Structure formats: structure tokens, C-alpha cells
């Protein structure tokens, strides 16, 4: 055998070592940045939590007429942005990733808190929002959930008065469990529009019609309610038909 | 949980990184051997064979490039073999008889038969072949002869490049040919060259005298002869700056037929010489031949996986858009947040691989004296070559499995293609 053809074991071992080093470094770098992104989402979540608490306190401070001063729209937009990033990380790291699951859990609490706040403002203020709760699960157990989620994104982008709160059906969290029991959620996809539960896939037109029904209903109730005069500063606050969760 | 796709992509990345680093290491370790050994003081007689079949349009340019070689005319023997052409190839060949070219003609039988006929007439100590659509640089032959001072060297390969591309299909091939230049040099350092390009590989004639002429049963006699040399523990060298220019195939159809021939021929010849997959044959048997097959397997797997994901994602996308009557006015937006940059392990490994590939191309330009600007060809190559490569291999493997026969046929030059019979 010519010397050129001779297998130089040292070279093979050295190249193996260099390749493995570069490969492991790449993976570690990737994990490092994934960790950074999860921390970023966690920080956003804490900001949303603080903002929510701030609005709740603002609402209570301005007890006489909080409706004019309180603006919940930016908070909802922050929640959607947070959801998008969480969704991105779930696709990148997998739905079984524990950090992602913990963040989703935390996010569901933030959503419910925002939902409760908006239910309160709906009750007490004239500017009504239509609230949709959406329960989904993974591709393996719910073939139409991705389509349903996309339709709901379209609805909330085209109907600014509609707020959508999405919950992973499998989240282990007492608050979410309570909501599921309250509205009888046993399958996915399931939607709660206003206070009506729909335990099936709904098309765009069906959702739009359901939203219109809820808004009409809200207006009817608003028109037929009793006016009460608040003893505080002689101002009037409207009360109406409040359906408590 | 790690997915099948991730396992595949990480495996491919590791393999690609390993081979790239290995070849680069080989190239840099042998930096002192980049320069060719000097040509002998007493230049030997060299015979160059030009087999031609229906190549009236390009033959003259090929032979003129041989006549322009920086080599004593009395030491250069040119034999043109007309392989049963139906156009004016024979007439074009005879025009060079007054300049000393020997012209032979025979019924059509394929390139191998044409070469063997000329071998019987060849009187040179060294023999080369130049395809009738290729041209050689004037200094190429002198750059190659110095390697034959080593008695173990049975053949010296040139640097095979493309002529200036005129179509997108030709542009994609420019980088492929350049990478071939790089790999051939690396394989020479490893004693593992397994393809001696048809255009202007120079052979020691005594090899043919001892081991027989070209195999006429294969359509890739260049692969067969090199594997035969390896089987006999002969050394094949490479002169990376001895430039020969071939016309790259201009259309998808002609490129497709050429590549099916090449890859099917490779499979046939590797099957014939399967004993080469052995430590007895050094780096060729232990690493180069196995990695050739691994790279084909990975290329096909990655392309199939990417296609599957592409279809899967876009079918879902289409269904989603259908559900909202394709009203995307408020759904389209640009994600400018750097959060959404895919900074995962594969991306970083990909950056390293890209960096390595740029170094490799740069090194190739240096060792082969490549002057052309190739940036845009590189972009085209990166975008389109892999799926084409995978496609050609899938078809070649399919034909191999069907046991169809591949033969050379001669028709008019523009329609020349290899015919497949089943």
C-alpha cells in the first residue's frame, strides 16, 4: 500500500474530537438561547401580572366611574403577544418540555385573571366586550384544533371587541379545572362564547353569528336594566343582568 | 421528546461536519504538496485520444486546444476516433490530418470501444483522452507529467471545470465542478481517487498493456478504470491547476440523463469492485467509498423529510386560509422581533458549515488558479443542488433495482442522450 493510502488513525480521532466539540458547542449554544427566550417569556408574564394588578387597583380606586379611565386593550394585546411567543417555544422545544408547561400554566392564570377583570367591566361599563374561552389540545388528540385556533385569530383581529382566551385542555391547574367544570368542557375543541358552551369545531361564520347573538343579548339586557343612583358624588352607574361565573 | 426529523437533521449535520473537517485537515496538512512536481527534463511522448460521436460543432475547438499545448509537437500524438458519426464529424477530424493528427473511424460502439481502438495505435509512453466537447489549457500537460516520476503513479487527473455558463442549469454546475476539483485533490492526498475524469486524465500506458483496455460494457469507463487501478494498488494523482474545461449540460433533460448515467455507472462499478470496501485499500475502503454512500443516503432522506414537512405545513396553511375565505388582510405582518430567530443547535452548526464551505471554495480557487467571480453561482448551488442531487440518485437507484441496461447511442449532437432499455 502506498503511504498516501495508509489510514492515519490519529487524524480520524482528532477530526472526530474536533467535530464532536463543535457539535456539542452548537447544541449548548442553542440550549443557552432557548433558556434566554424562556426567561424573556417569564419576564413578560410578570409584567402582565403587574399590569393586571395595576388595572384592578385602578378600577377600585376610581370606584365612582372607573369605566372611562380604565383601558384594558393594551393588556389584552400584551397577553396575545405573550401567547404567540409561548406557542413558538412550544413548537421549538416540544409540548412535553417542563419549562414550557410551567409557563403555559402561569399564562393560563394570567388569562383567567384578565377574563375576570373584563367580565367585571362588561357588567359595570357600557363598552361591552365579547369574551371567548377556547379549549384545545395537541395534534395527536385534536385534529381540528389548529384550524379552530386560526379561525379565532382571524375573528379577534377583525372584531376588536372580541377577546379570545385559549387554554390547553391538559393544563393541571385548579382554576382552569374549575372553569372546565363550570362550562362542562369535556372535549376539544370547545368554545365558550359569552356564557354558551359549544363542544365542537365551529366555522368562521358560526363564530361570527354567535358573537353577534351575544352582543345583541348584551344590548337588550343593557336597555332593560334598572338604573341605580350611586350615593357617591351623585353619579349614576348602570347595573344590569350579571351572570356570575 | 426528540423527533425523528431532529435525529435525522442532527445526524446529517454531524456527518457533514466530520467529512468537511476531515477533508480540510487533509488539505492543510499537505499544503507543501499543493505545488506540482516539475515536469521531467526529457519530456516523454504522450498520446491524446479524442473519441467523437456526432460532434462536428465542437471537435475543431477541442483539437485546436491540443495543438496549442505547450508541448513539443514531435512528442505529442493526437488520435481522433470517429465512433460511427452520422454528421460531419469525420470530415472535421480529417481536416487535422495535415497537422499530424491520426484519424480512425469505426462503426458506433461507444466511447470505450473507440478508446480501445486508439490504444492499439498509441505509441506514447503516456496516454490521455480528451472528450470532443472539452478544451485543455496550454500548460496543463506539463503540470501533470511531473507526478509520473513516482513509479507507483499510474494516472494523473486534471482540474475539470465548466466553461462559462449560459443557462441556470449550467450555473448550478459551476460550484459542483469546483468542489470536484477540491475533492479530487484531497482524495489524491488520501490515495483514494475513484473517478478519473474522461477529459484529459493521463495514464501510464503500461497499465493498459498489463491490465487490459477500457471496459466496454460500462457507460462510465472513467470510474471503472480508476477502481481497477485502486484494486491493483496503483496510485492516482491530481494536478489541481491543470485546467480542462467541459461544457456543462445546458438543460434539465440533458443534465438529468448525464447524471443518471454517471450515478448508475457508479453503482454498477462499485458492485463489480465491492471488495474495495476493505481496510486493505486504505482510506478508500475505510472512509471514502462508505461515506459516498452515506452522503447519498442522507441527501435523499433530508430531501424527502423536507418535502414532507413542506407539504404538511402548507396543506395545513391552505386549510386555515380556506376556513377564513382567504381573507388575510389583518393576518399578514412582518415579525421583526429577534425573539423569533431560530437560534437552535442546528443553526449554529449550520453557520460553522457555511463558514467551512466558504473556506473550501476559497482554497479551491487558490489551488486551481480560478479567476472567475463565482458568488452568484454559489447561491444557486446552495439553493438547488441538494434536491437535484437527491432526485438523480433516487432515479439511478430505481433503474439499478429494475436492472435496466444502459447503452451509448449516437444520434444528432443536440439530441445526444443515453438510452435506457428495460
Amino acid at each position: 500500500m502506498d503511504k498516501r493510502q495508509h489510514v492515519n488513525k490519529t487524524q480520524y480521532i482528532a477530526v472526530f474530537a474536533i467535530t464532536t466539540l463543535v457539535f456539542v458547542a452548537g447544541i449548548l449554544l442553542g440550549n443557552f438561547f432557548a433558556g434566554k427566550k424562556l426567561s424573556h417569556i417569564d419576564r413578560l408574564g410578570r409584567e402582565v401580572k403587574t399590569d393586571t394588578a395595576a388595572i384592578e387597583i385602578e378600577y377600585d380606586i376610581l370606584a365612582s366611574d372607573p369605566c372611562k379611565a380604565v383601558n384594558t386593550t393594551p393588556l389584552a394585546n400584551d397577553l396575545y403577544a405573550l401567547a404567540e411567543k409561548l406557542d413558538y417555544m412550544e413548537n421549538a422545544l416540544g409540548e412535553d418540555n417542563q419549562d414550557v408547561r410551567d409557563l403555559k400554566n402561569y399564562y393560563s392564570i394570567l388569562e383567567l385573571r384578565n377574563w375576570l377583570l373584563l367580565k367585571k367591566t362588561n357588567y359595570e361599563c357600557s363598552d361591552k366586550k365579547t369574551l371567548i374561552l377556547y379549549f384545545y389540545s395537541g395534534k395527536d388528540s385534536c385534529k381540528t384544533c389548529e384550524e379552530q385556533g386560526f379561525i379565532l385569530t382571524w375573528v379577534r383581529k377583525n372584531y376588536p371587541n372580541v377577546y379570545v382566551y385559549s387554554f390547553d385542555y391538559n393544563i393541571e391547574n385548579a382554576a382552569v379545572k374549575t372553569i372546565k367544570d363550570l362550562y362542562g368542557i369535556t372535549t376539544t375543541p370547545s368554545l365558550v362564547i359569552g356564557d354558551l358552551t359549544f363542544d365542537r369545531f365551529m366555522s368562521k361564520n358560526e363564530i361570527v353569528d354567535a358573537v353577534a347573538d351575544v352582543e345583541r343579548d348584551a344590548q337588550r339586557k343593557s336597555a332593560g336594566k334598572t338604573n341605580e343612583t350611586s350615593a357617591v358624588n351623585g353619579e349614576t352607574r348602570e347595573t344590569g343582568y350579571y351572570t356570575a361565573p | 421528546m426528540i423527533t425523528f426529523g431532529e435525529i435525522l437533521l442532527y445526524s446529517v449535520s454531524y456527518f457533514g461536519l466530520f467529512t468537511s473537517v476531515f477533508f480540510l485537515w487533509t488539505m492543510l496538512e499537505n499544503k507543501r504538496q499543493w505545488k506540482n512536481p516539475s515536469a521531467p527534463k526529457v519530456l516523454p511522448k504522450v498520446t491524446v485520444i479524442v473519441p467523437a460521436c456526432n460532434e462536428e460543432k465542437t471537435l475543431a475547438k477541442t483539437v485546436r486546444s491540443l495543438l496549442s499545448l505547450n508541448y513539443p509537437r514531435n512528442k505529442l500524438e493526437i488520435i481522433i476516433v470517429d465512433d460511427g458519426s452520422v454528421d460531419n464529424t469525420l470530415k472535421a477530424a480529417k481536416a487535422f490530418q495535415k497537422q499530424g493528427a491520426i484519424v480512425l473511424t469505426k462503426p458506433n460502439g461507444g466511447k470505450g470501444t473507440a478508446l480501445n481502438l486508439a490504444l492499439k495505435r498509441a505509441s506514447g509512453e503516456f496516454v490521455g483522452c480528451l472528450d470532443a466537447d472539452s478544451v485543455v489549457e496550454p500548460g496543463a500537460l506539463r503540470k501533470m507529467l511531473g507526478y509520473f516520476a513516482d513509479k507507483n503513479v499510474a494516472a494523473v487527473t486534471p482540474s475539470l471545470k465548466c466553461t462559462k455558463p449560459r443557462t441556470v442549469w449550467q450555473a448550478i454546475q459551476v460550484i459542483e465542478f469546483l468542489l470536484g476539483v477540491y475533492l479530487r485533490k484531497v482524495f489524491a492526498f488520501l490515495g483514494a481517487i475513484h473517478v478519473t475524469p474522461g477529459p484529459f486524465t493521463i495514464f501510464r500506458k503500461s497499465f493498459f498493456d498489463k491490465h487490459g483496455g477500457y471496459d466496454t460494457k460500462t457507460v462510465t469507463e472513467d470510474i471503472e478504470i480508476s477502481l481497477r487501478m485502486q484494486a491493483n494498488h496503483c496510485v492516482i494523482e491530481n494536478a489541481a491547476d491543470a485546467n480542462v474545461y467541459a461544457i456543462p449540460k445546458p438543460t434539465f433533460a440533458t443534465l438529468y440523463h448525464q447524471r443518471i448515467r454517471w450515478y448508475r455507472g457508479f453503482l454498477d462499478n462499485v458492485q463489480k469492485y465491492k471488495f474495495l470496501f476493505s481496510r486493505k485499500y486504505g482510506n478508500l475502503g475505510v472512509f471514502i467509498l462508505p461515506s459516498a454512500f452515506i452522503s447519498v443516503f442522507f441527501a435523499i432522506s433530508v430531501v424527502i423529510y423536507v418535502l414532507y414537512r413542506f407539504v404538511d405545513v402548507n396543506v395545513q396553511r391552505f386549510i386555515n386560509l380556506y376556513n377564513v375565505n382567504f381573507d388575510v388582510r389583518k393576518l399578514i405582518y412582518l415579525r421583526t422581533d429577534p425573539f423569533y430567530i431560530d437560534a437552535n443547535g442546528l443553526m449554529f452548526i449550520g453557520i460553522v458549515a457555511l463558514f467551512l464551505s466558504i473556506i473550501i471554495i476559497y482554497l479551491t480557487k487558490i489551488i486551481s488558479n480560478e479567476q472567475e467571480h463565482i458568488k452568484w453561482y454559489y447561491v444557486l448551488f446552495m439553493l438547488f443542488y441538494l434536491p437535484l442531487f437527491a432526485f438523480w440518485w433516487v432515479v439511478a437507484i430505481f433503474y439499478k433495482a429494475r436492472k435496466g441496461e444502459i447503452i451509448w447511442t449516437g444520434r444528432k449532437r443536440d439530441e445526444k442522450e443515453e438510452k435506457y432499455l428495460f
Side-chain angles (χ1 to χ4, degrees):
Chain A
M1 195 193 293
D2 184 84
K3 65 175 179 351
R4 279 160 283 216
Q5 295 161 334
H6 176 73
V7 174
N8 181 352
K9 278 190 204 151
T10 311
Q11 181 179 348
Y12 283 92
I13 292 167
V15 169
F16 174 75
I18 292 169
T19 307
T20 306
L21 198 68
V22 170
F23 197 75
V24 168
I27 291 174
L28 288 175
L29 259 174
N31 287 346
F32 171 76
F33 280 99
K36 283 277 184 202
K37 287 183 181 182
L38 289 172
S39 301
H40 171 73
I41 292 174
D42 188 47
R43 186 177 56 76
L44 286 179
R46 279 184 275 116
E47 283 173 13
V48 166
K49 181 182 171 186
T50 307
D51 290 344
T52 306
I55 287 181
E56 286 167 346
I57 292 168
E58 194 182 359
Y59 200 85
D60 287 340
I61 289 171
L62 301 171
S64 54
D65 191 7
C67 300
K68 281 190 185 141
V70 168
N71 182 7
T72 54
T73 305
L75 189 57
N77 288 337
D78 287 343
L79 268 175
Y80 293 142
L82 185 53
E84 211 177 305
K85 289 181 175 175
L86 201 45
D87 194 46
Y88 172 86
M89 291 309 293
E90 190 177 28
N91 285 332
L93 300 178
E95 54 189 42
D96 293 332
N97 181 279
Q98 193 53 49
D99 292 325
V100 168
R101 292 179 73 81
D102 290 345
L103 282 171
K104 277 176 80 171
N105 210 344
Y106 181 56
Y107 174 71
S108 68
I109 302 295
L110 294 175
E111 280 191 295
L112 282 173
R113 202 163 166 188
N114 188 264
W115 175 70
L116 284 170
L117 177 62
L118 276 164
K119 276 190 90 73
K120 195 171 171 184
T121 59
N122 263 2
Y123 177 66
E124 294 177 351
C125 304
S126 56
D127 180 23
K128 309 286 181 198
K129 315 273 186 239
T130 305
L131 309 179
I132 299 178
L133 301 177
Y134 167 50
F135 294 87
Y136 66 91
S137 55
K139 248 187 189 166
D140 294 335
S141 48
C142 178
K143 302 265 182 279
T144 54
C145 281
E146 193 176 331
E147 291 172 53
Q148 187 71 89
F150 190 84
I151 292 170
L152 285 167
T153 303
W154 182 91
V155 167
R156 73 166 173 81
K157 287 204 184 242
N158 285 276
Y159 292 84
N161 252 17
V162 174
Y163 285 49
V164 179
Y165 301 92
S166 306
F167 300 94
D168 186 335
Y169 183 84
N170 297 309
I171 284 279
E172 283 154 7
N173 171 315
V176 173
K177 188 178 180 308
T178 305
I179 294 293
K180 276 160 52 178
D181 291 341
L182 189 69
Y183 288 104
I185 307 296
T186 55
T187 184
T188 53
S190 286
L191 290 87
V192 177
I193 304 178
D195 286 317
L196 290 174
T197 302
F198 301 88
D199 58 358
R200 57 178 175 80
F201 174 84
M202 291 182 77
S203 70
K204 181 194 85 169
N205 292 337
E206 284 176 317
I207 294 174
V208 168
D209 289 345
V211 164
D213 287 344
V214 166
E215 285 173 354
R216 261 196 308 274
D217 200 37
Q219 277 168 5
R220 225 184 8 255
K221 286 169 189 169
S222 200
K225 63 181 159 261
T226 327
N227 288 326
E228 288 180 10
T229 305
S230 170
V232 179
N233 297 327
E235 287 176 2
T236 305
R237 189 203 290 185
E238 292 181 340
T239 61
Y241 209 80
Y242 177 65
T243 308
Chain B
M1 197 180 72
I2 194 156
T3 63
F4 167 78
E6 282 171 327
I7 294 171
L8 174 65
L9 292 175
Y10 276 105
S11 303
V12 169
S13 307
Y14 190 90
F15 174 77
L17 204 56
F18 183 92
T19 51
S20 301
V21 172
F22 187 89
F23 294 155
L24 197 55
W25 177 298
T26 303
M27 187 61 108
L28 294 173
E29 192 182 39
N30 290 281
K31 199 174 171 191
R32 288 209 188 96
Q33 276 83 48
W34 288 7
K35 202 163 171 282
N36 303 314
S38 308
K41 286 193 172 63
V42 177
L43 292 173
K45 188 171 185 186
V46 178
T47 303
V48 181
I49 304 166
V50 183
C53 183
N54 299 323
E55 291 174 283
E56 60 177 349
K57 287 184 183 160
T58 56
L59 179 63
K61 199 171 175 189
T62 300
V63 179
R64 276 199 289 272
S65 75
L66 284 174
L67 293 168
S68 301
L69 277 173
N70 179 12
Y71 207 76
R73 194 64 69 83
N74 63 343
K75 295 278 178 85
L76 183 65
E77 181 181 52
I78 299 172
I79 302 178
I80 306 170
V81 183
D82 164 47
D83 190 33
S85 303
V86 298
D87 65 357
N88 291 315
T89 298
L90 183 57
K91 187 180 170 188
K94 282 183 173 170
F96 290 98
Q97 279 179 316
K98 55 182 181 291
Q99 286 162 290
I102 298 167
V103 178
L104 306 175
T105 184
K106 59 181 277 300
N108 180 257
K111 188 176 172 184
T113 60
L115 290 169
N116 285 340
L117 179 68
L119 272 176
K120 289 185 186 134
R121 282 287 299 267
S123 59
E125 186 184 346
F126 299 99
V127 176
C129 157
L130 186 61
D131 292 347
D133 59 355
S134 304
V135 292
V136 61
E137 253 181 12
L141 185 54
R142 279 186 186 259
K143 288 175 184 173
M144 297 166 80
L145 288 175
Y147 287 97
F148 287 108
D150 180 346
K151 296 284 177 238
N152 291 323
V153 172
V156 179
T157 56
S159 164
L160 182 59
K161 294 181 182 175
C162 290
T163 53
K164 203 171 173 65
R166 288 199 164 82
T167 69
V168 166
W169 301 106
Q170 290 178 327
I172 291 169
Q173 295 170 69
V174 168
I175 300 296
E176 184 195 23
F177 273 67
L178 260 190
L179 276 176
V181 169
Y182 169 79
L183 287 174
R184 215 166 286 116
K185 193 65 188 173
V186 167
F187 292 163
F189 289 139
L190 294 169
I193 289 183
H194 50 283
V195 180
T196 49
F200 218 66
T201 294
I202 304 294
F203 300 91
R204 202 183 288 274
K205 188 165 177 295
S206 56
F207 178 85
F208 291 112
D209 297 335
K210 190 175 174 188
H211 299 285
Y214 286 92
D215 184 348
T216 56
K217 291 193 206 67
T218 176
V219 287
T220 49
E221 57 289 316
D222 46 358
I223 299 174
E224 196 281 332
I225 199 78
S226 49
L227 291 179
R228 203 189 319 164
M229 284 186 171
Q230 291 287 353
N232 285 285
H233 296 286
C234 298
V235 174
I236 305 171
E237 268 291 0
N238 173 257
D241 57 351
N243 293 322
V244 179
Y245 295 90
I247 301 172
K249 294 300 177 189
T251 64
F252 175 77
T254 52
L255 182 58
Y256 167 85
H257 284 300
Q258 182 193 53
R259 295 314 158 88
I260 301 307
R261 175 175 70 82
W262 283 5
Y263 298 163
R264 174 65 199 275
F266 181 78
L267 288 172
D268 288 341
N269 283 301
V270 164
Q271 184 178 22
K272 182 179 170 186
Y273 289 99
K274 55 182 177 291
F275 56 85
L276 290 174
F277 283 83
S278 157
R279 218 192 137 88
K280 261 175 61 179
Y281 297 94
N283 291 305
L284 179 73
V286 158
F287 182 53
I288 302 302
L289 282 181
S291 66
F293 280 92
I294 294 170
S295 62
V296 169
F297 168 75
F298 275 145
I300 294 172
S301 304
V302 165
V303 169
I304 290 173
Y305 173 73
V306 167
L307 265 173
Y308 162 76
R309 289 286 302 137
F310 179 81
V311 167
D312 188 38
V313 164
N314 285 289
V315 162
Q316 186 61 62
R317 216 169 255 169
F318 180 83
I319 292 170
N320 289 344
L321 291 173
Y322 174 80
N323 282 330
V324 299
N325 299 331
F326 297 96
D327 178 13
V328 298
R329 284 169 298 165
K330 293 200 174 154
L331 296 175
I332 294 178
Y333 60 95
L334 195 62
R335 264 185 184 171
T336 53
D337 190 338
F339 178 93
Y340 293 105
I341 296 171
D342 269 331
N344 57 24
L346 275 176
M347 191 195 88
F348 292 111
I349 293 164
I351 289 172
V352 170
L354 185 68
F355 179 66
L356 280 176
S357 72
I358 291 170
I359 293 177
I360 286 166
I361 297 290
Y362 175 71
L363 274 178
T364 309
K365 286 190 82 176
I366 293 175
I367 62 171
S368 67
N369 285 331
E370 177 60 47
Q371 307 294 334
E372 285 287 313
H373 294 294
I374 55 171
K375 281 191 285 288
W376 292 116
Y377 303 144
Y378 182 71
V379 171
L380 278 174
F381 175 83
M382 293 299 273
L383 286 175
F384 298 113
Y385 184 74
L386 183 63
L388 285 171
F389 178 80
F391 170 64
W392 295 323
W393 268 106
V394 165
V395 174
I397 291 167
F398 172 74
Y399 281 144
K400 175 73 179 159
R402 288 279 302 273
K403 292 186 170 46
E405 185 193 344
I406 302 182
I407 61 168
W408 286 102
T409 66
R411 289 194 224 153
K412 280 215 171 285
R413 171 67 188 157
D414 289 341
E415 297 164 9
K416 183 177 177 184
E417 60 182 354
E418 293 69 37
K419 194 176 171 67
Y420 305 94
L421 305 175
F422 295 96

